[in-house]
Amino acid sequence: MLDFVQQLVSGIALGCVYGLIALGFVLVYKATEVVNFAQGDLMMLGGFFAFTFISLLGFNYWLGFIAAVAAMAMFGMLAERLVVRPILGYPQFSIIMATIGLGFFLRSVAGMIWGTDDLKIETPFSHGVLRLGSLVLAYDKLSVIAATIILCGVLYLFFNKTTLGTAMRASSENMLAAYYMGIPVKRVVSIVWAISAAVATCAGVLLAPITFVHSNVGLVLGLKAFPAAVLGGFGSIPGAVVGGVLIGVIESMAGFYLPQGWKDVAPYLVLLAVLLLKPEGIFGIHTRKKV
């Protein structure tokens, strides 16, 4: 039973990281109907920025965290302005290829600047455990879960209780109608990309105590986060987080209880099963029409 609880907590912690990356997929898609396949690489770059501020420049952990988030928010706006906006209106395939190309570019630049070695960020939660009788839970995993809950709460309040959040929701529902109502749609889209990059950076920094940061970590985790977004219902913000947690828990349990090799396969089998039964995802809206 203790092993089960520990694997459950580990899976939830890893799933929270998947969920935050998936959240970036969903935010960009809701605002622009663009699937940003560079989302995982934005997380990777945010992790490297945090490593630079905290480990190389000696910033306080929290100050370095904030600096990395702010830097990546500006980078997200820049990426949207230079890469995505010029080709909006072109076929979706063109935009998808542009984001894939952006991902390759970011991985290459990160490898040239920070190298290809695995790097780790020391955090206030890197060491220490919480003991509940015979149960031992690491602070680093609990901190990821707590931070994800807080971040989701902040995003909920932002999107539902602020004027800018309301403008973003209006733009995501109908961009043309929002434009006619006087909402600066282009600026809103840039801010959505900034938020998406900032959320990805939070995922990268929270991931640091659990695993290492390297130039390919974004590609690996992005391939797990995209199915999480699909599983939750592409376009659903709560679904992205729930889908991420489900993928993380399934992966953790399969790695512990099933033979070697099932860890990477099991989440995709569950994804296929869910999509066969509910193609729109867990929280997706059913839109299939009868012929």
PDB file of all heavy atoms in Angstrom, residues 42-60:
ATOM      1  N   LEU A  42       9.625  25.419 -25.435  1.00  0.00           N
ATOM      2  CA  LEU A  42       9.535  26.627 -24.630  1.00  0.00           C
ATOM      3  C   LEU A  42       9.761  26.288 -23.157  1.00  0.00           C
ATOM      4  O   LEU A  42      10.407  27.047 -22.423  1.00  0.00           O
ATOM      5  CB  LEU A  42       8.168  27.289 -24.812  1.00  0.00           C
ATOM      6  CG  LEU A  42       7.879  27.899 -26.191  1.00  0.00           C
ATOM      7  CD1 LEU A  42       6.476  28.458 -26.234  1.00  0.00           C
ATOM      8  CD2 LEU A  42       8.890  28.986 -26.528  1.00  0.00           C
ATOM      9  N   MET A  43       9.239  25.144 -22.722  1.00  0.00           N
ATOM     10  CA  MET A  43       9.491  24.685 -21.356  1.00  0.00           C
ATOM     11  C   MET A  43      10.981  24.448 -21.129  1.00  0.00           C
ATOM     12  O   MET A  43      11.553  24.839 -20.112  1.00  0.00           O
ATOM     13  CB  MET A  43       8.718  23.401 -21.091  1.00  0.00           C
ATOM     14  CG  MET A  43       8.869  22.857 -19.682  1.00  0.00           C
ATOM     15  SD  MET A  43       9.015  21.063 -19.617  1.00  0.00           S
ATOM     16  CE  MET A  43      10.619  20.815 -20.332  1.00  0.00           C
ATOM     17  N   MET A  44      11.624  23.791 -22.107  1.00  0.00           N
ATOM     18  CA  MET A  44      13.058  23.525 -22.019  1.00  0.00           C
ATOM     19  C   MET A  44      13.853  24.822 -21.920  1.00  0.00           C
ATOM     20  O   MET A  44      14.743  24.969 -21.076  1.00  0.00           O
ATOM     21  CB  MET A  44      13.489  22.719 -23.243  1.00  0.00           C
ATOM     22  CG  MET A  44      14.987  22.498 -23.412  1.00  0.00           C
ATOM     23  SD  MET A  44      15.801  23.827 -24.352  1.00  0.00           S
ATOM     24  CE  MET A  44      14.987  23.703 -25.935  1.00  0.00           C
ATOM     25  N   LEU A  45      13.518  25.800 -22.764  1.00  0.00           N
ATOM     26  CA  LEU A  45      14.230  27.068 -22.757  1.00  0.00           C
ATOM     27  C   LEU A  45      14.009  27.808 -21.439  1.00  0.00           C
ATOM     28  O   LEU A  45      14.945  28.419 -20.901  1.00  0.00           O
ATOM     29  CB  LEU A  45      13.756  27.925 -23.931  1.00  0.00           C
ATOM     30  CG  LEU A  45      14.549  29.201 -24.204  1.00  0.00           C
ATOM     31  CD1 LEU A  45      15.997  28.879 -24.534  1.00  0.00           C
ATOM     32  CD2 LEU A  45      13.897  29.998 -25.341  1.00  0.00           C
ATOM     33  N   GLY A  46      12.791  27.731 -20.923  1.00  0.00           N
ATOM     34  CA  GLY A  46      12.523  28.343 -19.622  1.00  0.00           C
ATOM     35  C   GLY A  46      13.339  27.708 -18.515  1.00  0.00           C
ATOM     36  O   GLY A  46      13.834  28.401 -17.611  1.00  0.00           O
ATOM     37  N   GLY A  47      13.515  26.386 -18.575  1.00  0.00           N
ATOM     38  CA  GLY A  47      14.359  25.708 -17.595  1.00  0.00           C
ATOM     39  C   GLY A  47      15.806  26.176 -17.671  1.00  0.00           C
ATOM     40  O   GLY A  47      16.475  26.385 -16.648  1.00  0.00           O
ATOM     41  N   PHE A  48      16.313  26.367 -18.892  1.00  0.00           N
ATOM     42  CA  PHE A  48      17.686  26.855 -19.057  1.00  0.00           C
ATOM     43  C   PHE A  48      17.820  28.298 -18.568  1.00  0.00           C
ATOM     44  O   PHE A  48      18.845  28.671 -17.987  1.00  0.00           O
ATOM     45  CB  PHE A  48      18.119  26.757 -20.519  1.00  0.00           C
ATOM     46  CG  PHE A  48      18.626  25.394 -20.898  1.00  0.00           C
ATOM     47  CD1 PHE A  48      18.069  24.695 -21.961  1.00  0.00           C
ATOM     48  CD2 PHE A  48      19.668  24.802 -20.205  1.00  0.00           C
ATOM     49  CE1 PHE A  48      18.545  23.444 -22.323  1.00  0.00           C
ATOM     50  CE2 PHE A  48      20.154  23.549 -20.556  1.00  0.00           C
ATOM     51  CZ  PHE A  48      19.591  22.868 -21.612  1.00  0.00           C
ATOM     52  N   PHE A  49      16.809  29.125 -18.818  1.00  0.00           N
ATOM     53  CA  PHE A  49      16.847  30.493 -18.312  1.00  0.00           C
ATOM     54  C   PHE A  49      16.902  30.490 -16.783  1.00  0.00           C
ATOM     55  O   PHE A  49      17.672  31.243 -16.173  1.00  0.00           O
ATOM     56  CB  PHE A  49      15.610  31.264 -18.784  1.00  0.00           C
ATOM     57  CG  PHE A  49      15.752  31.871 -20.149  1.00  0.00           C
ATOM     58  CD1 PHE A  49      16.863  31.616 -20.935  1.00  0.00           C
ATOM     59  CD2 PHE A  49      14.779  32.699 -20.669  1.00  0.00           C
ATOM     60  CE1 PHE A  49      17.007  32.170 -22.196  1.00  0.00           C
ATOM     61  CE2 PHE A  49      14.898  33.266 -21.924  1.00  0.00           C
ATOM     62  CZ  PHE A  49      16.014  32.997 -22.689  1.00  0.00           C
ATOM     63  N   ALA A  50      16.074  29.649 -16.174  1.00  0.00           N
ATOM     64  CA  ALA A  50      16.075  29.565 -14.713  1.00  0.00           C
ATOM     65  C   ALA A  50      17.429  29.076 -14.203  1.00  0.00           C
ATOM     66  O   ALA A  50      17.946  29.582 -13.198  1.00  0.00           O
ATOM     67  CB  ALA A  50      14.958  28.635 -14.247  1.00  0.00           C
ATOM     68  N   PHE A  51      18.023  28.081 -14.886  1.00  0.00           N
ATOM     69  CA  PHE A  51      19.350  27.595 -14.496  1.00  0.00           C
ATOM     70  C   PHE A  51      20.377  28.720 -14.580  1.00  0.00           C
ATOM     71  O   PHE A  51      21.244  28.861 -13.698  1.00  0.00           O
ATOM     72  CB  PHE A  51      19.764  26.441 -15.412  1.00  0.00           C
ATOM     73  CG  PHE A  51      21.169  25.964 -15.191  1.00  0.00           C
ATOM     74  CD1 PHE A  51      21.468  25.094 -14.142  1.00  0.00           C
ATOM     75  CD2 PHE A  51      22.204  26.391 -16.012  1.00  0.00           C
ATOM     76  CE1 PHE A  51      22.768  24.665 -13.932  1.00  0.00           C
ATOM     77  CE2 PHE A  51      23.503  25.963 -15.813  1.00  0.00           C
ATOM     78  CZ  PHE A  51      23.784  25.102 -14.763  1.00  0.00           C
ATOM     79  N   THR A  52      20.282  29.542 -15.625  1.00  0.00           N
ATOM     80  CA  THR A  52      21.220  30.647 -15.791  1.00  0.00           C
ATOM     81  C   THR A  52      21.084  31.661 -14.666  1.00  0.00           C
ATOM     82  O   THR A  52      22.080  32.083 -14.058  1.00  0.00           O
ATOM     83  CB  THR A  52      20.981  31.346 -17.147  1.00  0.00           C
ATOM     84  OG1 THR A  52      21.172  30.394 -18.195  1.00  0.00           O
ATOM     85  CG2 THR A  52      21.942  32.505 -17.337  1.00  0.00           C
ATOM     86  N   PHE A  53      19.850  32.045 -14.369  1.00  0.00           N
ATOM     87  CA  PHE A  53      19.630  33.048 -13.333  1.00  0.00           C
ATOM     88  C   PHE A  53      19.997  32.536 -11.935  1.00  0.00           C
ATOM     89  O   PHE A  53      20.619  33.248 -11.141  1.00  0.00           O
ATOM     90  CB  PHE A  53      18.165  33.502 -13.339  1.00  0.00           C
ATOM     91  CG  PHE A  53      17.800  34.362 -14.510  1.00  0.00           C
ATOM     92  CD1 PHE A  53      16.723  34.033 -15.323  1.00  0.00           C
ATOM     93  CD2 PHE A  53      18.536  35.497 -14.826  1.00  0.00           C
ATOM     94  CE1 PHE A  53      16.382  34.823 -16.409  1.00  0.00           C
ATOM     95  CE2 PHE A  53      18.209  36.289 -15.916  1.00  0.00           C
ATOM     96  CZ  PHE A  53      17.126  35.958 -16.709  1.00  0.00           C
ATOM     97  N   ILE A  54      19.610  31.285 -11.653  1.00  0.00           N
ATOM     98  CA  ILE A  54      19.767  30.767 -10.293  1.00  0.00           C
ATOM     99  C   ILE A  54      21.161  30.192 -10.063  1.00  0.00           C
ATOM    100  O   ILE A  54      21.842  30.538  -9.089  1.00  0.00           O
ATOM    101  CB  ILE A  54      18.683  29.702 -10.005  1.00  0.00           C
ATOM    102  CG1 ILE A  54      17.290  30.329 -10.079  1.00  0.00           C
ATOM    103  CG2 ILE A  54      18.903  29.062  -8.632  1.00  0.00           C
ATOM    104  CD1 ILE A  54      16.159  29.325 -10.055  1.00  0.00           C
ATOM    105  N   SER A  55      21.595  29.316 -10.958  1.00  0.00           N
ATOM    106  CA  SER A  55      22.845  28.591 -10.735  1.00  0.00           C
ATOM    107  C   SER A  55      24.075  29.341 -11.231  1.00  0.00           C
ATOM    108  O   SER A  55      25.133  29.290 -10.606  1.00  0.00           O
ATOM    109  CB  SER A  55      22.776  27.209 -11.399  1.00  0.00           C
ATOM    110  OG  SER A  55      21.713  26.449 -10.882  1.00  0.00           O
ATOM    111  N   LEU A  56      23.972  30.031 -12.362  1.00  0.00           N
ATOM    112  CA  LEU A  56      25.133  30.712 -12.927  1.00  0.00           C
ATOM    113  C   LEU A  56      25.287  32.133 -12.412  1.00  0.00           C
ATOM    114  O   LEU A  56      26.396  32.567 -12.083  1.00  0.00           O
ATOM    115  CB  LEU A  56      25.049  30.715 -14.456  1.00  0.00           C
ATOM    116  CG  LEU A  56      25.046  29.345 -15.142  1.00  0.00           C
ATOM    117  CD1 LEU A  56      25.041  29.490 -16.656  1.00  0.00           C
ATOM    118  CD2 LEU A  56      26.237  28.500 -14.691  1.00  0.00           C
ATOM    119  N   LEU A  57      24.185  32.882 -12.334  1.00  0.00           N
ATOM    120  CA  LEU A  57      24.263  34.271 -11.898  1.00  0.00           C
ATOM    121  C   LEU A  57      24.062  34.431 -10.398  1.00  0.00           C
ATOM    122  O   LEU A  57      24.256  35.526  -9.868  1.00  0.00           O
ATOM    123  CB  LEU A  57      23.224  35.108 -12.660  1.00  0.00           C
ATOM    124  CG  LEU A  57      23.399  35.147 -14.183  1.00  0.00           C
ATOM    125  CD1 LEU A  57      22.320  36.019 -14.827  1.00  0.00           C
ATOM    126  CD2 LEU A  57      24.787  35.670 -14.553  1.00  0.00           C
ATOM    127  N   GLY A  58      23.658  33.346  -9.722  1.00  0.00           N
ATOM    128  CA  GLY A  58      23.548  33.375  -8.270  1.00  0.00           C
ATOM    129  C   GLY A  58      22.327  34.086  -7.724  1.00  0.00           C
ATOM    130  O   GLY A  58      22.327  34.531  -6.567  1.00  0.00           O
ATOM    131  N   PHE A  59      21.273  34.197  -8.537  1.00  0.00           N
ATOM    132  CA  PHE A  59      20.056  34.831  -8.042  1.00  0.00           C
ATOM    133  C   PHE A  59      19.420  33.956  -6.949  1.00  0.00           C
ATOM    134  O   PHE A  59      19.591  32.738  -6.933  1.00  0.00           O
ATOM    135  CB  PHE A  59      19.035  35.007  -9.168  1.00  0.00           C
ATOM    136  CG  PHE A  59      19.318  36.149 -10.094  1.00  0.00           C
ATOM    137  CD1 PHE A  59      20.596  36.639 -10.272  1.00  0.00           C
ATOM    138  CD2 PHE A  59      18.286  36.737 -10.815  1.00  0.00           C
ATOM    139  CE1 PHE A  59      20.868  37.678 -11.137  1.00  0.00           C
ATOM    140  CE2 PHE A  59      18.530  37.779 -11.696  1.00  0.00           C
ATOM    141  CZ  PHE A  59      19.826  38.254 -11.856  1.00  0.00           C
ATOM    142  N   ASN A  60      18.695  34.602  -6.051  1.00  0.00           N
ATOM    143  CA  ASN A  60      17.817  33.874  -5.143  1.00  0.00           C
ATOM    144  C   ASN A  60      16.837  33.025  -5.956  1.00  0.00           C
ATOM    145  O   ASN A  60      16.416  33.431  -7.049  1.00  0.00           O
ATOM    146  CB  ASN A  60      17.064  34.866  -4.259  1.00  0.00           C
ATOM    147  CG  ASN A  60      15.971  34.224  -3.427  1.00  0.00           C
ATOM    148  OD1 ASN A  60      14.834  34.094  -3.878  1.00  0.00           O
ATOM    149  ND2 ASN A  60      16.321  33.828  -2.227  1.00  0.00           N
TER     150      ASN A  60
END
